[in-house]
Amino acid sequence: MHEKDKKKMEKLKDEIRRHDFLYYVEDRPGISDRDYDRLMQDLKDLEGKYPQWVTPDSPTQRVGGKASENFRGVAHKVPMLSLDNTYNLEELKEFHNRVAKNLGREDRIEYVVELKFDGLAVTLTYENGSLVQGATRGDGKEGEDITVGLKTIRSIPLSIPMEQEPFKIIEVRGEVFMNREAFARLNETREAEGEPPFANPRNAAAGSIRLLDPAITASRPLDIFVYNIGYMDVIPFKTHWEALKKLQSLGFKTNKERKLCKSFDETLALIERWKTEKNKLPYYVDGLVIKVNSFKDRLKLGATNKHPRWAAAFKYEAEQTSTRILDIKCQVGRTGSITPVAVLEPVFLSGSTVSRATLHNEDEIRNKDIRVGDTVIVQKAGEIIPQVVKVENPAGTRRRKTFRMPDRCPVCASPLSRPEGDAVWRCDNSACPAQLKERLLHFASRNAMDIDHLGSAVIEQLVEGGRVKTFADLYTLTLEELVPLERLAEKSAQNLIDALEASKKAGPARLLHALGIRHVGQRAAMVLAQTFRTLDKLQVTRFEELESVMEIGPTIAESFREFMDKKENRNELDRLKQLGLLVELEKTETSTVLEGKQFVLTGTLESLTRDQAREKIVALGGRITSSVSKKTDYVVAGADPGSKLDKAKKLEVKILREAEFKGLIEG
C-alpha cells in the first residue's frame, strides 16, 4: 500500500509540474484553478502522511513557475508569495480561526478586503522617484524583467513625488489586466487571423506584456491596479490600509472597491455581496483577497515557504446553468475560417442574457458529442465568453443525429476544405462576401491602414452594392458615390476620402498586416518589411529565405508564400502600388551601412534587449537569421551564449561581443 501511495505522489508531482509549465511559462492553462488546487491538495495530504518522502523539488516546496529565457532574470528583494485559496465559507472561517489562535485574541482583528483580479502579477521598483525596473512574479523569488513593456501602460506612473517622503526606494506590486470588452475584441481579432484565442483575461494580459516588441504591447489596452508594497528602505506605516492610501496619493492606480472591515462578520457580508455584483464590473474578478490589516500582527503570524499566514483568497465557483441547443450555425471569418456557433434557448448567466455560444471547431463538437436539441451546461469562460461545458440530457431523452460540418460555405456555397493537421474548416473563395466584409474591416483597422470613418455600416453598403470587391476598390471611391450612403453626409464622406488618401503613406509593414495573410500578424509583418525593405522583393522571396528570418519560421513562411503564389493576390498588390500606396521602406542616410550583412544573435546583452538589437541591425540595412551558416557575417554574443557560438567558432564566423557590436552600429 505504501508503495502504491509513493507512485501516486510521483504521478501527482509530474502532473502539477506539467500544469505549472502550461500556466506560468506557456501562458495557456490546461485545467481550471479549482482542479489545479485539488491536485495540489492531494499531494499535500500524501506528503503529510509520508513526510519522509517529501523532496526538495516537490511542487509543494516552492511557490511555482519559472522565468522565461527570453527575459533577463530579476531577483525579488522580498519573495512574492502566492495566496492560499479557499472556495467555501467553512474554509475561510478556518483561516480566521487560525489567525485568531495565533494572535491570541478573537476580536480587534481588522481585515482589508480587496477584489481579486484575473491578470498578471508584477512588481514596479522606484528609486528616488523614478521607475527603474518592472518584473513578473516568476517563481516568487526570481521573475522576468519586463520594464519596457510595463512602461507602455499609461496608468503606470514613470515617476512619483518622493521629495517629502522618508524612503528613497519603494517596490510596489500590482496586477496587469485587460477589461472585458478589450479582451473580447482581442480574441475576435486573433481568431480572424487564424490564431488561437486567449483562454482568459490573465492569459491575454500575460501574453501582451511578455511580447518582445513594446510597440505591439502598447497597442493592446492593458491596465493595472496596484495593491501592495513589497519593499521599502524605510517603512512609515503601521497598517495595510495606510499603505494603500499612500500608494493612491503617490499617483498609483488602486482599486476603489477595497474595504476595511472591523470584524470577520463584515468580511463574510462582502463575500455574499460581490458574488453577483462582480458581474457588473468592467473587468473580470474571480474572488476576494482577505488580508490582516496590522503589520505588527502580520509579523507575528509569519508565513510558510509558499503562503503568508495573514492572507487568503476566496475564489467564487464559475457560475453555470443549463439550457437547450436550438440550432448550430456556422460563421465565416475574415480568413475563411468556419466557426460553429450554438444557438441557445436564452438564459441569464453571470450578469447577462446568453443566447449563443461558440463551439470552436468540429473536433470540439465531436469530443463533447454536442447535438441540436441537447440540454447542455453552459458557463462564461473568464466570465466573458459563453461556452458549452458538457451535455447533460435528462434520462430517456431521444437525441437527434450527430452534427456534421457543412461541405459548402454557408454564405457563398463554395466548397470547404480542412488542411491536414488543421482544426478548422475553411472557405477558400477569396471573393466570399462574408470574408470580404471582415477583411475590409481589418484592412481599415487602427493597427492596419488606420482608415477612419470606414466602419461596418459603410462597408456593408459598399459590398452589398457591389461597388467594392477588393482592397484597391476603396481607393477609387469618389465623394459623389459616398455622399448618398447611410451614416455618411458630405462632411463625413470627405473625411473618409481624406483618410483613404492619408493611408496610402502607411508603409509596407502596415500594408502587409492589413492584407490579412493567415499567421502574418502585426509583428511578423513588421519583421518581413524591415528585413526585405520592399513588397516587390517579398513577392519573389523563396520559402527557404523567408523561413530563415528570426521570428518568422516555417508556418508563417509557408502561409506567406502560398498567399503570394496566387495570381489574384499579386495583381491586387500591383494595383495598390499603381494607386499610390507606399510599398517600400523609405531610405535614410544610414540605412545601407550594414546592407547585405547577415547577423545571428545569441545570449543576453546588458545594454539592449534582443529586440532592440534586431531593430538597430535592420534599420541599418542588415538582416537577422535564426541559425549560423557559412553565409552568416556576424554572430553577436552576449552573456550565456548557446550552441550558436560554438558553431560560429567552428565555421570561423566573425564573433562580436557587446562592446564591439555597439561600436559597429553606433560608428
Side-chain angles (χ1 to χ4, degrees), residues 321-595:
T321 189
S322 67
T323 185
R324 197 165 64 89
I325 295 181
L326 303 178
D327 197 2
I328 297 178
K329 295 187 175 181
C330 291
Q331 296 179 340
V332 186
R334 173 171 57 81
T335 61
S337 58
I338 308 296
T339 303
V341 176
V343 180
L344 308 172
E345 251 179 21
V347 61
F348 192 77
L349 178 66
S350 297
S352 65
T353 299
V354 172
S355 59
R356 297 168 74 85
T358 178
L359 298 176
H360 301 292
N361 54 53
E362 182 181 28
D363 294 340
E364 175 89 354
I365 296 174
R366 184 186 297 117
N367 292 338
K368 293 181 179 178
D369 192 18
I370 298 170
R371 308 183 192 185
V372 174
D374 280 346
T375 298
V376 294
I377 302 298
V378 294
Q379 70 178 27
K380 287 185 179 178
E383 297 285 333
I384 296 175
I385 304 173
Q387 66 177 17
V388 174
V389 179
K390 61 181 178 179
V391 174
E392 201 169 75
N393 287 316
T397 299
R398 291 187 62 183
R399 305 186 71 193
R400 299 193 191 179
K401 292 181 180 179
T402 301
F403 176 78
R404 302 288 183 190
M405 289 290 288
D407 57 3
R408 291 189 172 273
C409 175
V411 175
C412 70
S414 297
L416 300 181
S417 64
R418 180 179 174 180
E420 187 176 348
D422 200 333
V424 178
W425 284 86
R426 296 185 182 278
C427 170
D428 295 322
N429 177 18
S430 59
C432 175
Q435 292 182 56
L436 179 58
K437 292 173 187 176
E438 292 299 321
R439 289 204 310 274
L440 289 169
L441 276 172
H442 171 72
F443 187 85
S445 64
R446 185 166 60 90
N447 292 328
M449 300 303 283
D450 194 17
I451 306 172
D452 204 8
H453 304 286
L454 187 60
S456 56
V458 174
I459 287 174
E460 181 87 21
Q461 296 173 77
L462 292 172
V463 173
E464 293 295 334
R467 177 59 181 84
V468 173
K469 297 179 181 178
T470 67
F471 300 135
D473 287 343
L474 292 170
Y475 294 95
T476 66
L477 291 168
T478 65
L479 186 64
E480 292 73 24
E481 289 175 309
L482 291 174
V483 170
L485 299 181
E486 290 183 22
R487 306 283 182 95
L488 285 180
E490 186 167 348
K491 184 177 180 180
S492 296
Q494 185 59 55
N495 287 337
L496 176 52
I497 293 290
D498 294 341
L500 283 164
E501 188 63 30
S503 73
K504 291 180 179 180
K505 299 178 182 178
R510 280 180 172 267
L511 179 54
L512 273 179
H513 177 49
L515 291 173
I517 305 169
R518 192 174 173 219
H519 299 305
V520 180
Q522 191 178 355
R523 175 64 187 167
M526 185 185 302
V527 171
L528 288 169
Q530 290 182 334
T531 302
F532 296 98
R533 313 295 293 175
T534 76
L535 294 193
D536 287 344
K537 187 174 181 180
L538 267 170
Q539 286 187 61
V540 297
T541 301
R542 293 180 297 110
F543 167 82
E544 292 77 14
E545 198 172 357
L546 291 167
E547 182 189 24
S548 68
V549 177
M550 181 178 287
E551 299 185 55
I552 298 303
T555 302
I556 295 175
E558 183 179 2
S559 180
F560 185 84
R561 194 63 269 153
E562 185 179 304
F563 179 90
M564 289 298 179
D565 286 342
K566 291 182 178 179
K567 184 179 179 180
E568 61 267 29
N569 292 332
R570 294 197 303 273
N571 291 342
E572 175 77 350
L573 281 172
D574 289 342
R575 192 172 170 218
L576 288 169
K577 182 180 178 181
Q578 291 166 7
L579 286 164
L581 272 73
L582 190 63
V583 294
E584 62 180 85
L585 290 179
E586 296 178 340
K587 297 287 185 181
T588 64
E589 290 182 10
T590 60
S591 65
T592 60
V593 171
L594 300 179
E595 187 74 45

Side-chain angles (χ1 to χ4, degrees), residues 1-7 49-50 53:
M1 180 61 74
H2 290 344
E3 197 61 29
K4 185 177 180 181
D5 285 343
K6 191 171 185 179
K7 287 181 179 179
K49 188 176 179 180
Y50 305 106
W53 291 341

Side-chain angles (χ1 to χ4, degrees), residues 87-94 264 268 271-272 314:
Y87 287 91
N88 56 62
L89 295 182
E90 290 306 312
E91 290 177 355
L92 192 62
K93 288 175 183 177
E94 288 175 11
F264 184 63
L268 297 179
I271 288 172
E272 187 60 32
F314 181 88

Side-chain angles (χ1 to χ4, degrees), residues 170-212:
I170 181 172
E171 178 224 83
V172 303
R173 296 174 177 180
E175 198 89 359
V176 173
F177 66 95
M178 191 175 290
N179 67 34
R180 295 172 186 264
E181 184 181 348
F183 173 65
R185 281 201 313 269
L186 178 60
N187 268 351
E188 287 173 4
T189 300
R190 288 177 66 84
E191 289 187 295
E193 293 179 353
E195 298 178 16
F198 287 114
N200 52 50
R202 195 207 76 84
N203 294 106
S208 299
I209 204 67
R210 295 171 72 247
L211 289 167
L212 294 178

